[in-house]
Amino acid sequence: MTYHRSQSKLLHSCTLILALCIVLAGCAATANIPTPSPTIARLPTVTPEPLAAPTPTARIIRLGETSIPTPSTTAVPTPLITDSGVLTASMARLGLSAEPYAVLGDPNAPVTIVEFTDFGCPFCRRHHLLIFRTLVEEFVATGRVFYVIKHLPVSSQQGERAALAAICAGEQGRYWEMHNALFADGEAWQGNETIAQRRIDAIAAELGFDVAALRACTERTDTKAIIARHVSEAHTLRVFGTPVFFINNRLLAGAQPIEVWRQVLAAVAQDS
């Protein structure tokens, strides 16, 4: 009797063990069935893919709609040609001084562009290497625009030294030759004074200037006063960076593509 009970208990235990094995075998089989991975939003990488360079956004401001002070200078109906240079009506409205050398085009053109620039500014350099020639061909050479340069050497260590060289070249009637050469070598105006002066001397020699005379001109007090006047005029108009362009009664900041220039000049022409 005892034997039969023990055998029954053993059989019962074996049955339980077998059932447990079957259950465990089924879970393992189920675990081996591949299940779809959950969808996880991809996080940005540490170094993202480079994006295409965006086109700079033009910042156009009508002077009458901003807090820029309105100069008290009375506008002249026609450009003034004086011993100090050319002064157009829009320059007078802005309170700017006449410019003797850094001018291009017909002073009677309906639109005057005044650019505040720095020879050591990479964006100014970009404008003059990529855009300026097209502006001259399409608008200055056709009598639609009178172009004026004002120097604001605030973004490069030797930008003022380069600007002085351009002004002194202007005294000899060759401003634009020096202007183009200085912009072609923009990196030179980021270094020290000695390197910059050597490069200016080399450019002057290459262009056929009297190097000693040009250097003497850059050291004169009255030449330096021209730069000081340009800087003061910029600050009066609340301009503290480059390049900045005044297009009659509008302000355009930054190195903009030619398409933006065409749009702005078309709009200004309609207002004139």
Side-chain angles (χ1 to χ4, degrees), residues 2-15:
T2 302
Y3 170 77
H4 287 293
R5 284 179 181 174
S6 299
Q7 189 176 32
S8 176
K9 287 181 179 180
L10 179 62
L11 181 60
H12 181 68
S13 299
C14 289
T15 302

Side-chain angles (χ1 to χ4, degrees), residues 179-223:
H179 174 101
N180 294 335
L182 292 169
F183 263 127
D185 204 2
E187 294 298 323
W189 323 127
Q190 301 293 344
N192 61 50
E193 180 178 331
T194 301
I195 293 175
Q197 188 58 58
R198 286 176 181 170
R199 187 60 196 132
I200 289 172
D201 291 346
I203 291 173
E206 291 167 7
L207 295 177
F209 285 93
D210 182 327
V211 176
L214 188 75
R215 181 184 287 197
C217 172
T218 64
E219 299 297 333
R220 292 198 328 247
T221 302
D222 61 322
T223 309

Side-chain angles (χ1 to χ4, degrees), residues 149-169:
I149 295 289
K150 295 280 188 177
H151 296 288
L152 184 60
V154 294
S155 62
S156 59
Q157 295 182 16
Q158 305 304 326
E160 181 174 356
R161 187 166 293 274
L164 290 168
I167 291 170
C168 289

Side-chain angles (χ1 to χ4, degrees), residues 115-132 152 155 179 183 241-245 254-255:
E115 176 188 354
F116 284 93
T117 194
D118 181 348
F119 286 112
C121 162
F123 297 102
C124 301
R125 185 169 184 256
R126 174 181 175 183
H127 170 76
H128 278 273
L129 294 181
L130 301 180
I131 304 300
F132 181 66
L152 184 60
S155 62
H179 174 101
F183 263 127
T242 55
V244 169
F245 308 87

